[in-house]
Amino acid sequence: MSDASLTSEPADTLVPVTVLTGFLGAGKTTLLNHILTAEHGRKYAVVINEFGELGVDNDLVVDADEEVFEMNNGCICCTVRGDLIRILGSLMKRRNKFDGIIIETTGLADPAPVAQTFFADEDVRAKTRLDAVVTVVDALNFLQTLKESPEAHQQIAFADVIILNKTDLVDESQLKAVEDAIRKINAFAPIHKAQKGNVKLTDVMDVGGFDLQRTLSTTPDFLENTHHHHEEDVNSISLSLKTPLDAGRFQMWIGALLQEKGADILRTKGILNFEGQSDRFAFQAVHMMADGNDIGPWKEGEERESRLVFIGRNLNRPQLRRGFESCAVA
């Protein structure tokens, strides 16, 4: 069976879809923002999937002119594939408003079932084409992540393009070890080194990287209905607080928490309302490494609510909530 036989329209009329994947904290949203703000004259519809009941990633995406759809009631590779199909269907009704679609998966997604959607569903197959699965790799944490999480292995194995991110945080020998580990899993995908997701757009968009025949040769059951099960010990905790936060108190609490529990906390991200500050503050951390910056003022009429999401193992909800609430202004 050829690729062409699976579509009912000429290939050049199908909407190109790029799937951004990569483990928690690798830099998918940073790469997405780089794509959306670059000078390319193209307009993209964006679908964001989060692992957790409280959406944060939507606020971490730049205020571009794009349409952003959020799915945070399950993981795109298993429980909400139906949602993805419905969103794609609604997008096709206003096909003339965008040039392509970008899907950012959760950091725990297996990209294979996501890619499968573009061949298994007849309506999706008739109007879209999977251009490439782009996997973002955290050069600093990848080797450890590979030992602990089968999802990281799957994300590399299924990649058409690999963005080796955070290369400024490792030395040459570490970088070579990471590249060697990647090549043992995937010998075909080009590897582009990057810092803060800063790559040439021609490396990630419209690359025509997805090859169904190659995929079937390595994964013969690709087009069969498969189910993905996440590591059972990884879960997410979402916290929210309407009272403004004391910035100093928050920094002390989160710093001590990540120092003590950072090995188990795979990813932390949040939108925070600090007292006396007019801008929203975006906080992000991978294990013990944390970062944050202002991302512009709160929208008019928007409730100033701090939201914080933890993804990891052995998370203690009451303890995390008490700590978060202790950062509120008295």
Side-chain angles (χ1 to χ4, degrees), residues 81 84-85 88 112-121 124-125 222:
R81 279 177 67 195
L84 174 61
I85 291 168
L88 291 171
V114 183
Q116 186 190 58
T117 304
F118 294 91
F119 298 92
D121 185 87
V124 172
R125 190 175 74 215
F222 169 66

Side-chain angles (χ1 to χ4, degrees), residues 58-59 63 278 280 296-304:
N58 191 31
D59 290 288
D63 286 328
S278 59
R280 298 170 297 163
W298 296 84
K299 296 180 178 69
E300 195 172 334
E302 180 182 11
E303 186 173 25
R304 293 192 173 204

Side-chain angles (χ1 to χ4, degrees), residues 209-225:
F210 188 83
D211 185 331
L212 181 63
Q213 295 308 312
R214 190 182 73 219
T215 301
L216 289 172
S217 70
T218 57
T219 315
D221 61 351
F222 169 66
L223 293 177
E224 297 171 18
N225 191 26

Side-chain angles (χ1 to χ4, degrees), residues 5-21:
S5 69
L6 287 171
T7 59
S8 58
E9 293 188 26
D12 58 358
T13 66
L14 300 175
V15 181
V17 180
T18 301
V19 175
L20 288 185
T21 190

Side-chain angles (χ1 to χ4, degrees), residues 29 32 46-50 57-61 68-72 76 87 102-106:
T29 303
L32 175 60
V46 179
V47 181
I48 296 173
N49 182 215
E50 297 196 54
D57 282 1
N58 191 31
D59 290 288
L60 296 174
V61 175
V68 177
F69 295 84
E70 205 176 6
M71 299 189 299
N72 60 352
I76 198 171
I87 287 173
I102 303 172
I103 299 172
E104 181 189 346
T105 74
T106 76

Side-chain angles (χ1 to χ4, degrees), residues 41-300:
R42 308 195 77 199
K43 187 169 170 57
Y44 294 102
V46 179
V47 181
I48 296 173
N49 182 215
E50 297 196 54
F51 187 78
E53 68 270 23
L54 195 64
V56 168
D57 282 1
N58 191 31
D59 290 288
L60 296 174
V61 175
V62 291
D63 286 328
D65 200 20
E66 273 71 15
E67 295 189 67
V68 177
F69 295 84
E70 205 176 6
M71 299 189 299
N72 60 352
N73 59 336
C75 188
I76 198 171
C77 67
C78 39
T79 56
V80 293
R81 279 177 67 195
D83 286 2
L84 174 61
I85 291 168
R86 281 190 291 276
I87 287 173
L88 291 171
S90 69
L91 280 173
M92 288 306 108
K93 292 172 184 169
R94 41 191 190 281
R95 165 71 185 92
N96 60 337
K97 293 185 182 287
F98 55 88
D99 302 294
I101 299 170
I102 303 172
I103 299 172
E104 181 189 346
T105 74
T106 76
L108 292 170
D110 176 351
V114 183
Q116 186 190 58
T117 304
F118 294 91
F119 298 92
D121 185 87
E122 193 173 332
D123 291 335
V124 172
R125 190 175 74 215
K127 293 168 182 168
T128 65
R129 65 175 174 83
L130 179 59
D131 182 67
V133 175
V134 178
T135 298
V136 186
V137 174
D138 176 347
L140 182 64
N141 294 296
F142 177 69
L143 295 177
Q144 186 61 35
T145 300
L146 201 57
K147 293 177 189 172
E148 299 173 351
S149 304
E151 286 90 353
H153 189 285
Q154 288 296 101
Q155 290 162 357
I156 294 294
F158 215 75
D160 301 305
V161 176
I162 293 167
I163 305 302
L164 183 50
N165 201 27
K166 306 186 186 181
T167 55
D168 53 323
L169 302 181
V170 296
D171 60 29
E172 283 299 318
S173 64
Q174 288 174 292
L175 200 57
K176 185 179 186 310
V178 171
E179 288 188 78
D180 289 347
I182 290 171
R183 280 289 169 245
K184 284 179 183 173
I185 301 169
N186 186 328
F188 300 102
I191 299 174
H192 302 291
K193 296 172 186 172
Q195 299 174 14
K196 297 188 182 300
N198 197 349
V199 295
K200 291 188 292 186
L201 289 191
T202 50
D203 290 339
V204 290
M205 306 302 294
D206 297 313
V207 296
F210 188 83
D211 185 331
L212 181 63
Q213 295 308 312
R214 190 182 73 219
T215 301
L216 289 172
S217 70
T218 57
T219 315
D221 61 351
F222 169 66
L223 293 177
E224 297 171 18
N225 191 26
T226 58
H227 296 281
H228 174 61
H229 301 285
H230 296 294
E231 299 173 77
E232 292 183 6
D233 61 339
V234 174
N235 67 325
S236 78
I237 290 176
S238 303
L239 306 172
S240 60
L241 202 58
K242 290 182 168 50
T243 310
L245 301 175
D246 180 292
R249 211 177 295 165
F250 175 80
Q251 296 294 353
M252 284 182 63
W253 169 67
I254 200 73
L257 174 69
L258 296 179
Q259 201 59 42
E260 182 187 354
K261 308 280 190 185
D264 279 341
I265 300 175
L266 303 174
R267 185 81 165 97
T268 312
K269 52 191 173 182
I271 303 294
L272 307 176
N273 174 30
F274 287 137
E275 186 184 46
Q277 295 187 16
S278 59
D279 285 352
R280 298 170 297 163
F281 188 85
F283 177 82
Q284 304 198 53
V286 179
H287 292 301
M288 288 94 162
M289 290 192 63
D291 194 13
N293 60 289
D294 294 330
I295 56 168
W298 296 84
K299 296 180 178 69
E300 195 172 334

